[in-house]
Amino acid sequence: MKIYLKSTCITCRRTVTELDRLKLDVQKRDIFKDKLTESEIKKIIQLAGIKPRDLIRKKDKMFKELHLDDPRFTDPQIIKILSEHPGLIRRPIVFAKNKILIGKFDSKELKH
């Protein structure tokens, strides 16, 4: 199992604590220290069955600064921006069995 996170993010830390409690073997990657590439972001989007905009943290200050609510941004442009600004990426991202979980979720989802 893999988890992409920000080590100082409270939601990420809670998720890691829960994974540890479940005694799951987890590879951790801090996406602020080791940024995701555009191809990795495309893979996450594909596996999750979402659109690039669905991966954006709308509460991040960069969201407003970059005017990401503008619908003229194309999917490739959004993916490039996400690769450059990891704070905009919803987290944690957990790769569990045949699925991917993004953001806050119930630990029961890890067991299925």
Side-chain angles (χ1 to χ4, degrees), residues 18-64:
E18 182 64 14
L19 295 172
D20 289 345
R21 187 185 71 75
L22 295 171
K23 299 186 182 346
L24 297 172
D25 184 31
V26 180
Q27 296 174 355
K28 298 173 196 141
R29 177 177 173 182
D30 187 324
I31 61 172
F32 283 73
K33 294 177 182 169
D34 183 11
K35 290 183 180 178
L36 296 173
T37 65
E38 288 181 45
S39 63
E40 288 173 315
I41 292 169
K42 286 178 191 174
K43 182 179 178 184
I44 290 166
I45 289 165
Q46 180 185 10
L47 288 171
I50 60 175
K51 302 234 184 273
R53 286 187 181 279
D54 298 332
L55 196 56
I56 297 175
R57 288 183 66 242
K58 293 169 180 62
K59 293 181 180 179
D60 192 90
K61 68 178 182 171
M62 291 300 297
F63 179 78
K64 286 185 181 183

Side-chain angles (χ1 to χ4, degrees), residues 5 11 14 52 61 68-69 71-72 79 93 104:
L5 51 81
T11 303
R14 284 183 186 145
K61 68 178 182 171
L68 290 175
D69 55 344
R72 292 179 287 188
I79 290 168
I93 300 171
K104 293 181 182 178

Side-chain angles (χ1 to χ4, degrees), residues 74-96:
T74 64
D75 287 353
Q77 288 172 321
I78 290 172
I79 290 168
K80 181 170 179 42
I81 291 168
L82 290 172
S83 72
E84 295 168 351
H85 302 281
L88 287 167
I89 299 172
R90 285 179 51 215
R91 56 188 185 266
I93 300 171
V94 177
F95 296 84

